[in-house]
Amino acid sequence: MHDVARAAGVSLATVDRVLNGRPGVRAATTERVEEAIKSLGFSRDLNASLMARSRNLKVVFFIPDGSNEFMDSLAEAVTRRAGPTLADRMHLETQRIRALDTGALAAGLDALDPRTCDCAVIVTSEEPDILAAVDSATRRGIAVMTLVSDLPGSNRRHFIGVDNVAAGRTAASLLGRFLPQGGQVAVIAGSLHLRDHLERLEGFRQILSADFSDIELLGPLEGHDERAETEALVSKLLAENPGLSGIYNLGAGNAGLVSALKSSGRAGKLRVIAHELTAPTREGLHFGAIDVVLDQNPDGEIREAIAAARSLALGAARHVATDPIEIGIFLRDNLR
Amino acid sequence: MHDVARAAGVSLATVDRVLNGRPGVRAATTERVEEAIKSLGFSRDLNASLMARSRNLKVVFFIPDGSNEFMDSLAEAVTRRAGPTLADRMHLETQRIRALDTGALAAGLDALDPRTCDCAVIVTSEEPDILAAVDSATRRGIAVMTLVSDLPGSNRRHFIGVDNVAAGRTAASLLGRFLPQGGQVAVIAGSLHLRDHLERLEGFRQILSADFSDIELLGPLEGHDERAETEALVSKLLAENPGLSGIYNLGAGNAGLVSALKSSGRAGKLRVIAHELTAPTREGLHFGAIDVVLDQNPDGEIREAIAAARSLALGAARHVATDPIEIGIFLRDNLR
DNA sequence: TAGGTCATGAGGCACGTACCTCAATTTTGA
DNA sequence: TCAAAATTGAGGTACGTGCCTCATGACCTA
């Protein structure tokens, strides 16, 4: 800061006012300071800054509540990181929001006080009231990031998630190789209104039609990400199609999938691919009912979200670069 | 530190002497201070500490040089991290050491000055002179970590690497599902003297004999991780075994594997699994000569090494906890 | 008992930033 | 043109730690 002040011909106090957006600086002076910052390649020291304020960087994660096990593992990942990141003056808080309750999420965002919260991370579908709440939070000086599913058209500063089209392609590519003789494969989605499910389906179809024309696609069927509904659906599917050779469940409800496979007595005889490494899919892998699980890597997503929050806290940078999240592929044999 | 000093009934200076292992403190006093530290749960602030010394935390990576592309990607991962970590007062340096030149590695370790280097990360095989160099560096106060391959029996503070047995199991599990009719599968290793190769082979055999008894195993053959040798080996293999249905190359030399497959005209007709995502394996995936690549995740390894170095710099902690490195599984369809 | 050694306390400066006050200077508006 | 308002400078304290000096007092040995 001394160097910047000298280069711009101003005092430390003025540099401080510019850096922290405090009033009392003429536009021309601000410009001189910003030029000096750029030409010196100065970048503020987040750790020293937090120390000087004797304040932690606070990030609030809004994660859907309900019966979705993947969301639970996201929340657990936040909890796991909370200890270590505290040493770097970051305070992570988790708020569970009733699934699909956009009003509650909007209210949560509105309640954030910019004096105590620097960054909010939300998992949400695209809804107009969320869009408004994100913009309001941004105006108040809280950086908002989207996780898992993006919110295009909003003022969110960053998005972190996997490439779902690639996930669908990968599922097709594996199933195609698992079934060299061809056969019938059923696709089960949670809902065809969900962007991520649609993207996975798109990728799956792409590769199946391009590379594995011997495979006939059945569905997609909708299980609404629920255990009971998915179980009924799969039981019916298995009963009506004795020749079925594979299933790709690109949604949730895996507990139902596994129990239907078990009770049909055909677990292990069909090739099955599912999403997200959770208790039911782990069990499915372990007992051979599921062959492969594609995982969004919740730990990686939380890790990158935290890294992005630190970059955003440094202020200026309009665009933040993070490592892409890789899709995890799990068989019984490489389970953590 | 004030709280600790008060609780122990000593001055700040004495706490500082204890924390930094400086002389001039009676054993009884040291004990009082350490008790106060434990009962208060005090842990020093690495960022403030580095700032006070106006010094960066220096980590030197010793990475084998030569034609091994995986080692190159490790080095690139270090370079990628160097910028961002500098903001956290970490200075990363890479030294490439001629492959298998244990003398050079030992000399490199011996040349480290504890005043300018806090931590060394080495990739090495098990050799007595390396063991001695590691112990000497540790005595001088430099924390040594092993990467990729461990050095049991040494004073290394931490090991970071993947579970190679699990990698072998995963390869077998995939190949087994790729070949539901059974068939002949050849295994190619770099050298049966390398611990990681042996572990992969062990895992591969485990699963093949347990779950896929229709598959006949050919080999292991040794390609010594070299392009030309591997190419000759695979060409001969393909010529002599017209019925071969799969290949698992658990070593390097993938450029040779791919070109042998191409020139035999059987690329895409055999199921092929290889290791490490590098230029030749990417090309193999892209053109269908390789079906799956198992990757050690060099970026993840470097990330965890850096995190571990920070923990080690905090001193006391005898044991450091890091996230396990997951094996990456790549098909053409989820390439980064 | 004198002289020496060792353990400890007290306090200062430094690191890079935040944020405060007060005074001095410049700009603005009527 | 002059007072009021806005802008800027100067300098202080703080954050948690490292590292230095100097003084003091306890203990040991000859």
Side-chain angles (χ1 to χ4, degrees):
Chain A
M1 276 177 68
H2 276 95
D3 299 341
V4 172
R6 206 177 311 122
V10 300
S11 74
L12 271 182
T14 301
V15 176
D16 177 73
R17 289 189 263 258
V18 171
L19 280 176
N20 295 292
R22 267 184 279 280
V25 183
R26 245 197 312 266
T29 312
T30 300
E31 207 173 304
R32 283 217 318 281
V33 172
E34 270 162 1
E35 258 169 40
I37 288 175
K38 206 182 294 174
S39 80
L40 289 173
F42 167 85
S43 116
R44 65 209 299 188
D45 184 324
L46 182 59
N47 292 306
S49 152
L50 291 170
M51 193 169 112
R53 268 181 296 191
S54 57
R55 183 182 182 295
N56 287 334
L57 190 73
K58 180 158 167 195
V59 184
V60 180
F61 290 83
F62 291 94
I63 298 179
D65 205 351
S67 63
N68 190 329
E69 305 222 19
F70 170 68
M71 297 305 169
D72 293 342
S73 54
L74 271 181
E76 282 159 27
V78 174
T79 309
R80 257 195 300 282
R81 288 277 159 197
T85 53
L86 202 53
D88 286 327
R89 292 197 160 70
M90 296 196 75
H91 178 61
L92 311 185
E93 182 184 313
T94 309
Q95 286 192 28
R96 302 300 295 262
I97 299 286
R98 201 153 59 87
L100 305 177
D101 186 347
T102 59
L105 176 53
L109 280 172
D110 287 338
L112 294 177
D113 181 344
R115 285 169 304 184
T116 59
C117 171
D118 304 273
C119 183
V121 181
I122 62 177
V123 180
T124 182
S125 51
E126 297 175 49
E127 308 287 343
D129 50 345
I130 301 296
L131 224 93
V134 169
D135 290 358
S136 148
T138 306
R139 267 195 306 278
R140 278 175 292 147
I142 296 172
V144 180
M145 313 177 20
T146 49
L147 192 65
V148 176
S149 174
D150 200 8
L151 204 58
S154 71
N155 279 334
R156 88 214 180 353
R157 297 289 302 278
H158 193 60
F159 163 64
I160 289 171
V162 299
D163 180 344
N164 279 304
V165 180
R169 284 201 305 263
T170 305
S173 193
L174 282 169
L175 270 179
R177 285 176 175 74
F178 288 167
L179 304 170
Q181 317 289 318
Q184 268 190 331
V185 169
V187 173
I188 303 168
S191 155
L192 296 176
H193 294 292
L194 292 171
R195 171 185 283 255
D196 48 347
H197 289 198
L198 273 177
E199 287 174 350
R200 289 174 190 166
L201 181 61
E202 178 198 336
F204 191 77
R205 279 184 164 145
Q206 243 178 45
I207 295 300
L208 227 49
S209 67
D211 298 345
F212 303 102
S213 47
D214 289 349
I215 291 183
E216 183 196 338
L217 196 146
L218 229 71
L221 309 170
E222 284 180 289
H224 297 105
D225 288 350
E226 282 183 17
R227 185 204 161 114
E229 196 172 342
T230 307
E231 178 164 4
L233 200 73
V234 176
S235 295
K236 183 155 168 280
L237 182 74
L238 291 170
E240 290 176 356
N241 299 276
L244 193 70
S245 349
I247 297 179
Y248 174 37
N249 180 19
L250 55 78
N254 285 304
L257 171 72
V258 171
S259 64
L261 279 165
K262 276 191 177 171
S263 56
S264 77
R266 282 159 77 188
K269 293 181 183 146
L270 289 88
R271 300 281 74 82
V272 177
I273 299 187
H275 273 269
E276 312 314 345
L277 201 59
T278 58
T281 55
R282 277 175 190 276
E283 194 210 321
L285 283 175
H286 195 72
F287 292 104
I290 298 179
D291 294 276
V292 174
V293 168
L294 304 182
D295 186 60
Q296 277 201 61
N297 193 358
D299 285 279
E301 293 188 327
I302 297 300
R303 185 184 0 97
E304 293 304 322
I306 291 169
R310 287 182 74 88
S311 309
L312 288 175
L314 290 174
R318 214 41 234 171
H319 181 68
V320 177
T322 51
D323 291 351
I325 310 289
E326 283 161 31
I327 302 156
I329 303 182
F330 292 93
L331 288 76
R332 187 192 51 196
D333 311 287
N334 66 333
L335 271 184
R336 282 174 277 194
Chain B
M1 275 177 69
H2 276 95
D3 299 340
V4 172
R6 206 177 313 121
V10 300
S11 74
L12 273 181
T14 301
V15 177
D16 177 72
R17 289 179 190 117
V18 172
L19 280 176
N20 295 291
R22 267 185 277 281
V25 184
R26 244 197 312 265
T29 313
T30 300
E31 206 173 306
R32 281 216 320 280
V33 171
E34 270 161 2
E35 257 169 42
I37 289 175
K38 206 180 294 172
S39 79
L40 290 173
F42 168 85
S43 115
R44 64 212 299 187
D45 184 325
L46 182 59
N47 292 307
S49 151
L50 292 170
M51 194 168 109
R53 268 180 297 191
S54 59
R55 183 182 182 294
N56 287 335
L57 189 73
K58 182 159 166 195
V59 183
V60 181
F61 290 83
F62 292 93
I63 298 178
D65 206 351
S67 62
N68 189 331
E69 304 223 21
F70 169 68
M71 297 304 168
D72 293 343
S73 53
L74 271 181
E76 282 160 26
V78 175
T79 309
R80 257 194 301 280
R81 289 276 160 197
T85 53
L86 202 53
D88 287 328
R89 291 197 160 72
M90 296 195 74
H91 177 61
L92 311 184
E93 182 183 313
T94 309
Q95 286 191 30
R96 303 297 297 262
I97 300 286
R98 200 154 58 88
L100 305 177
D101 186 346
T102 59
L105 176 53
L109 280 173
D110 287 338
L112 294 177
D113 181 344
R115 284 168 305 183
T116 59
C117 170
D118 303 272
C119 183
V121 181
I122 62 176
V123 181
T124 181
S125 50
E126 298 175 49
E127 308 286 344
D129 49 346
I130 300 296
L131 225 93
V134 169
D135 291 357
S136 148
T138 306
R139 267 195 306 278
R140 277 175 292 146
I142 296 172
V144 181
M145 310 175 24
T146 48
L147 191 65
V148 175
S149 174
D150 200 7
L151 204 57
S154 72
N155 280 334
R156 98 247 178 317
R157 297 290 302 278
H158 193 61
F159 163 64
I160 288 171
V162 300
D163 180 346
N164 279 304
V165 179
R169 284 201 306 262
T170 305
S173 193
L174 283 169
L175 270 180
R177 285 176 174 73
F178 288 168
L179 304 170
Q181 317 288 318
Q184 269 191 330
V185 169
V187 173
I188 304 167
S191 154
L192 296 176
H193 294 292
L194 292 172
R195 172 185 283 256
D196 48 346
H197 289 199
L198 273 178
E199 288 174 348
R200 288 174 191 166
L201 181 60
E202 178 197 336
F204 191 77
R205 280 182 164 148
Q206 243 177 46
I207 294 299
L208 228 49
S209 66
D211 298 345
F212 304 101
S213 48
D214 288 350
I215 292 183
E216 183 195 339
L217 196 146
L218 230 72
L221 310 170
E222 284 180 291
H224 296 105
D225 288 349
E226 281 183 18
R227 185 204 160 115
E229 196 172 343
T230 307
E231 179 163 4
L233 201 72
V234 176
S235 296
K236 183 155 168 280
L237 182 74
L238 289 171
E240 291 176 356
N241 298 277
L244 194 70
S245 358
I247 296 179
Y248 174 37
N249 180 19
L250 55 78
N254 285 303
L257 171 71
V258 170
S259 64
L261 279 164
K262 276 192 177 170
S263 56
S264 77
R266 283 160 74 188
K269 293 180 184 147
L270 289 87
R271 300 281 73 83
V272 177
I273 299 187
H275 273 269
E276 313 314 344
L277 202 58
T278 58
T281 55
R282 277 176 190 277
E283 193 209 323
L285 283 176
H286 194 73
F287 292 105
I290 297 179
D291 294 275
V292 174
V293 168
L294 304 182
D295 186 59
Q296 278 200 61
N297 192 358
D299 285 279
E301 293 188 329
I302 297 301
R303 185 186 359 99
E304 293 304 323
I306 292 169
R310 287 181 74 88
S311 308
L312 288 174
L314 290 175
R318 217 39 235 172
H319 181 67
V320 178
T322 51
D323 291 351
I325 310 289
E326 282 161 32
I327 303 155
I329 303 183
F330 291 93
L331 287 77
R332 186 192 51 196
D333 310 287
N334 66 332
L335 272 184
R336 280 172 278 195

